[in-house]
Every structure is written in structure tokens, then in C-alpha cells.
Amino acid sequence: MRKNKLILSCIALLLCLLICVPVFAIDNVDESRYASLIVYSPEELKGDQVQYSIYLVASMDRRGNLTTTDGFVGCKWEKPYMEAQDSWGEALQILLYWLDTHKSIKAYDRCIADKFGTARFPTKGKTLVKGLYLVVANPVGKSGSTKLPAPFLVSVPDRDKDDNWIYTMTAEPKAVETSVHVRKVWQDEGHTEARPTSVVATLCYGWSNKVYASVVLSAQNNWMYTWENLPAGVQWTVIEENVPAQYAATVKAETGGFLITNAYVSQKIPQTGQITWPIPVLTVLGLGLFFVGLTRYRKNNEEK
Amino acid sequence: MAIGLLLIAAAAGMSGWNIYEDRQAGVSADELLKVYVESVEETQERTTAEENQPVKADEPEKETEVLTEETGESQDTEQTEESEDHSVRYSGENLYGVLSVPTLNLVLPVQKDWSYPKLRQTPCRYYGSVEDENLVVCAHNYSSHFGKLKNLRIGDAITFSDEAGENHTYTVACVEVLQPTAVEELTQSEWDLSLVTCTKGGKTRFVVRCEEEKE
């Protein structure tokens, strides 16, 4: 009897363990699975030759935890990425800036999109390590378009809404501009003598305000300029260096670029009063002189 | 005696000119106010007509769409930011908006830029903007413009209707008198709206500081 109870207990325990194991296994990445990424170019750019480069930002272990790879250590992308909920915007900007300023970082893989605008990773002879990738597009040769597919971050694999791991990821980046213009307008009607002959406008990475490029604006270039062939997807800002005295500069974003407005600020708050002080002075003086004259006239008449 | 009469005549002439200038300023302001009201109505009619037209389905604005293999559902990885259109939507003179001060029974158009000729017509935007919450409006101390500003009390309401016809409500928070050279003190303040005019005699500047009421 006791022996039977012991056997039954062991069987029950074994059954429990067998039920639990699959539950734990669901959360883990299946390391035997083959990971891949397919990128579809935007419809308007499918005729252009575009090369996609993927950079391994972080490798993934079987639990799905990410570890930053050597090239991106010190970048500080992790915090905004983890905090971002569904949007990785800030982390992406940080990584794009890092990539642009660390030219030694090599792409994990590159692929030129085919005539249908499709690029598949890994390319022949390579294996896609599971992890977080930064995907960046560049034109192949000279392109007439001022647009490129937007860069993006993608986790390969990633979880779906049911928490299942998906090992073949696909992406359809949108087309974004690679040029930014800046134009300046002056609001100084009646005070144009204070206007300088030129100003310097600086294009900066929006996230960090680090300088990317500068240009001199003057009447010769109609106070406007367009930076071209810029890294795609970067959120730019523009600032005016050394705003001229007597002017206040404001920068506003507009379609395709920025507008810098320099408004004249006078050295004195405008004189907005009517001139009234001479009225009593003139009146008093006038009355005074009138009565003096009247008195003299009467005296003269009396003497006569 | 003749000189005395001449001086009195000059004083009367100057007084008459000031009264005339004051009245002309009031007429100019009224005319420009009509232009503004017509333009806003026109813009609103146009907007209503556009809203009544059949609407096309819009695709969601996303820079990247990441699709899963099995479900085909999309997950956003980045949102597109669209810049706003701040262009002037009406024709007419250089109008920035309309200032309304109910306690003084004042409704005045405000021009976008200032110059002395423009100040003789209406109040003008001297510095800043409604959006940047640092608007400074200056005007002559005509009785039809800012001449009655000194009668404002703390807590009085002021409304500014911008180019798009959107109303911004402010409350008078304080008044102060500045020297003519205090440009930075006037413009680099934390006040959402400042109204400035000359004190009598023109030696100093009377400034009314206002805070915007946020919803």
C-alpha cells in the first residue's frame, strides 16, 4: 500500500514537471530557429537603386535580453529604447548620430534592393545573429531623388501581440527627404540700415544640438540655402550664430526646412506719445505776451 | 500782442492737430478691423465648405511599418511629425490679430510689424508672438488706442484673436513704468502679453503685463 502511494506520488510529480516545462520554454528564444529580415522599399523609390545596411546594435540571448555590441558601447541608446513603449524615436536619433560620428563601425550585412525594391537578410553565406538592428538606406551611385527609405530599428526576432516569437521580420520604411533648406526673412521695415551683410546658419542634430554643417547666408544667395545628401531620418534643427545686435531671431520649422526670422528690436521702446508739452508753454507764453502787449497799448493810449 | 496771438494760435493749432490725429487713428483702426472680420469670415466659410466635401480615407502616418510573418499585423516603429501651417490666411493689410479690452470698450486690430507710420493707424506687434507666449503690442496713447490703458485694473480680462480667428484670453497681472531704454526688460520677460504706450509727455513707457488663461 505504502509502495503504491509512493509510485503514484512520483507519477504525479513527473506529470507536474512535464506540464511546467513547456510553460517555461514558451518565453525563451528558440536558438535553433533561423532569423531573417525582409525590407520592402517605399513604392516611390522602387525604381531607385538603394542599398540597405544593417548594424547589430545589440545581440539577444535566449531569454530575449539585449546586450550592446562593441561598436555601440557608450552610445546610451538603451534607456530611451527601454522607456519608449511603442516608439523608439529618441533611441533611433541617438543611434543615427552615433553612427554618423563613428565611421569605423562596420555594417553587419549589406544588401542592394532588387528590381522590386526588396532586400533580404541575411545575404548569401551569412547568418543573421538574433538581436536589435539599425537599418539604414543609402543610394547606389547618383540618384536623382532627394528621398531615401527612412532608417529604423528592428528586433529580430520580435514578439507578436500573443507573445510568440516571430523569426522572420518584414519592414516597409517610408520615404523621407535627405535635403533641408534654410531661409531667412528680415522684419525691419524702416530700419534696414541695421541689417548685417551676412549671417551664419548652422544645421544641428536635433537630439544633441551638435553641429553638422554651417552656411553663410547673404543677399548673394537670397538669404537661403539647401543642404543635400544628408543622412536620412535625422531630426534636424537650425540655429543662427551670433544674432546681430538690434535683432531677435526666431526659428520655425516649415515643409522641407526652416525659416529664420530676424525682427528688429529698437534700442529704445518706440515713442508712442503725442507731443503735448508745447501746448501749455505756447499758451502761457502767448497769453503773457498778449497781456503785456495789451497793457502797453493801453498805457500809450492814456498818455496820448 | 501780435506775437502773443501767434503763439496762442500755434498752441491751438497743435491741439487741433492732436485731436485730428487721434480721430484719424480711430477711423484707420475701424477700417482695418472691418478687413480682418471679413477675412476671418471668408476663411471660416471656406473651411466649412471644405469640411462638407466627401472625405477620402487617410492612410495612417507612419515612417516605418514592421509586419510580422504570421499575423500580418503592423507595429509602429516611428511616428511622422508634420509641421503646422502658420501662413496668413487672409488678404488685407499686415494684420496679426485683434485685441479686445471689454473694460475699456476697446476693440483694435494689431498689425504684424511696427513702424511709426503704422503706429499712427493701429497698435502694432512690437516683439514676440502668441505662440511663443511673449507678445508685446505697442500703440500710441491716442484715446482711441492705448490712451485709456492706465484705467485697467489687475484682474481685468483682455482677449486676443489671432490670424486664424482663435481666441486667447489674458488677465491683467500688473502694470509698470519703464524707461525708454528698457527694451530688454520689456521684451525678455515671462509675461504672455505686454501692452505698452507712452506716458503723458512721452518721457517714460506705461506697460500692462498679462498672463494667459490656460484651459
Side-chain angles (χ1 to χ4, degrees):
Chain A
M1 198 62 177
R2 228 185 249 178
K3 197 177 174 184
N4 286 344
K5 273 191 183 172
L6 184 64
I7 291 168
L8 276 170
S9 302
C10 287
I11 292 169
L13 184 64
L14 196 64
L15 276 171
C16 284
L17 284 172
L18 280 171
I19 290 166
C20 290
V21 162
V23 170
F24 290 133
I26 282 168
D27 286 335
N28 286 353
V29 173
D30 185 349
E31 289 177 329
S32 67
R33 288 288 299 269
Y34 177 77
S36 61
L37 169 67
I38 305 171
V39 183
Y40 298 104
S41 291
E43 194 61 44
E44 62 192 284
L45 299 179
K46 278 188 177 164
D48 296 352
Q49 279 231 292
V50 170
Q51 180 185 65
Y52 290 94
S53 303
I54 61 172
Y55 297 85
L56 182 63
V57 175
S59 56
M60 185 185 291
D61 64 16
R62 64 189 188 92
R63 290 188 191 280
N65 297 323
L66 296 171
T67 305
T68 306
T69 54
D70 289 345
F72 292 92
V73 167
C75 170
K76 297 182 186 173
W77 64 273
E78 296 88 344
K79 194 166 175 242
Y81 177 81
M82 299 303 175
E83 285 174 354
Q85 302 290 322
D86 295 321
S87 167
W88 297 339
E90 190 184 339
L92 179 64
Q93 291 301 310
I94 293 169
L95 286 164
L96 286 174
Y97 172 73
W98 184 265
L99 191 64
D100 200 49
T101 51
H102 292 77
K103 303 288 185 194
S104 60
I105 298 176
K106 289 194 181 342
Y108 181 84
D109 200 354
R110 291 185 209 273
C111 179
I112 296 176
D114 61 20
K115 61 180 178 180
F116 301 108
T118 305
R120 296 171 195 277
F121 295 94
T123 53
K124 201 174 177 182
K126 291 200 172 177
T127 307
L128 206 63
V129 165
K130 295 176 182 65
L132 180 72
Y133 287 89
L134 170 64
V135 183
V136 174
N138 284 296
V140 177
K142 271 192 179 176
S143 164
S145 175
T146 59
K147 292 188 174 185
L148 276 177
F152 59 93
L153 286 171
V154 61
S155 175
V156 186
D158 201 358
R159 290 184 189 272
D160 64 10
K161 64 171 186 168
D162 296 321
D163 261 356
N164 299 312
W165 286 107
I166 306 302
Y167 294 86
T168 296
M169 300 299 293
T170 60
E172 290 186 32
K174 257 196 157 186
V176 290
E177 285 288 344
T178 57
S179 64
V180 169
H181 75 255
V182 60
R183 60 189 186 97
K184 161 171 284 306
V185 295
W186 296 93
Q187 285 179 354
D188 57 0
E189 189 182 318
H191 306 282
T192 53
E193 73 285 351
R195 194 185 292 186
T197 53
S198 66
V199 295
V200 174
T202 298
L203 182 68
C204 301
Y205 292 90
W207 163 72
S208 65
N209 277 339
K210 300 264 190 213
V211 172
Y212 179 83
S214 293
V215 69
V216 173
L217 299 177
S218 66
Q220 283 175 336
N221 54 21
N222 287 326
W223 304 98
M224 59 174 75
Y225 183 78
T226 301
W227 287 282
E228 293 175 342
N229 300 318
L230 297 171
V234 174
Q235 284 168 4
W236 303 101
T237 60
V238 162
I239 58 172
E240 182 175 329
E241 305 278 3
N242 300 322
V243 177
Q246 294 179 277
Y247 286 92
T250 51
V251 180
K252 283 200 169 136
E254 56 182 20
T255 307
F258 297 89
L259 171 67
I260 303 177
T261 303
N262 277 36
Y264 178 80
V265 181
S266 62
Q267 295 303 293
K268 275 191 174 183
I269 302 171
Q271 165 63 262
T272 49
Q274 287 187 297
I275 302 170
T276 53
W277 65 266
I279 297 173
V281 170
L282 287 169
T283 307
V284 166
L285 263 174
L287 284 169
L289 284 170
F290 177 78
F291 281 113
V292 162
L294 186 65
T295 309
R296 276 192 188 167
Y297 175 77
R298 281 182 182 169
K299 234 186 196 174
N300 286 343
N301 276 355
E302 276 169 16
E303 277 169 10
K304 280 181 188 168
Chain B
M1 208 158 74
I3 297 171
L5 283 171
L6 265 170
L7 290 178
I8 291 168
M14 194 175 259
S15 211
W17 171 257
N18 283 347
I19 293 168
Y20 169 77
E21 208 179 35
D22 194 318
R23 283 202 181 146
Q24 280 302 106
V27 166
S28 298
D30 286 341
E31 281 172 3
L32 288 172
L33 189 60
K34 270 185 210 161
V35 171
Y36 171 84
V37 168
E38 280 165 8
S39 299
V40 167
E41 281 172 358
E42 200 182 313
T43 306
Q44 284 171 349
E45 275 169 24
R46 206 183 311 130
T47 310
T48 312
E50 283 168 10
E51 281 171 0
N52 289 337
Q53 280 182 0
V55 176
K56 290 179 190 172
D58 287 334
E59 289 181 4
E61 285 291 333
K62 296 166 196 169
E63 283 192 359
T64 306
E65 220 174 306
V66 178
L67 305 174
T68 62
E69 180 187 23
E70 291 173 12
T71 64
E73 286 179 6
S74 61
Q75 293 173 328
D76 296 348
T77 58
E78 203 162 340
Q79 293 291 330
T80 303
E81 283 181 0
E82 292 180 350
S83 59
E84 290 180 19
D85 179 7
H86 286 295
S87 60
V88 174
R89 296 166 202 215
Y90 55 85
S91 59
E93 296 209 28
N94 189 29
L95 291 176
Y96 186 61
V98 171
L99 190 73
S100 173
V101 189
T103 49
L104 301 181
N105 206 24
L106 271 183
V107 179
L108 292 165
V110 176
Q111 292 194 61
K112 199 174 275 190
D113 307 308
W114 80 273
S115 67
Y116 283 111
K118 285 181 182 172
L119 281 171
R120 282 199 278 277
Q121 296 174 323
T122 71
C124 296
R125 185 184 70 97
Y126 174 68
Y127 179 83
S129 66
V130 171
E131 295 93 6
D132 294 335
E133 296 174 345
N134 61 355
L135 179 63
V136 178
V137 176
C138 67
H140 272 289
N141 57 2
Y142 302 138
S143 58
S144 54
H145 288 184
F146 280 4
K148 298 178 198 167
L149 231 54
K150 59 184 181 294
N151 297 334
L152 280 174
R153 295 287 173 263
I154 290 171
D156 283 348
I158 294 174
T159 307
F160 187 83
S161 302
D162 63 19
E163 296 169 289
E166 202 180 312
N167 287 338
H168 302 263
T169 307
Y170 301 85
T171 310
V172 175
C174 74
V175 297
E176 55 182 332
V177 174
L178 297 177
Q179 293 300 312
T181 48
V183 174
E184 203 171 319
E185 208 175 321
L186 174 67
T187 56
Q188 306 304 319
S189 71
E190 291 179 1
W191 300 105
D192 300 323
L193 171 68
S194 301
L195 308 177
V196 59
T197 188
C198 274
T199 51
K200 214 153 194 174
K203 286 199 173 160
T204 51
R205 307 291 181 265
F206 182 78
V207 184
V208 176
R209 303 286 201 180
C210 310
E211 286 173 334
E212 185 169 3
E213 286 176 21
K214 310 277 184 206
E215 286 170 14

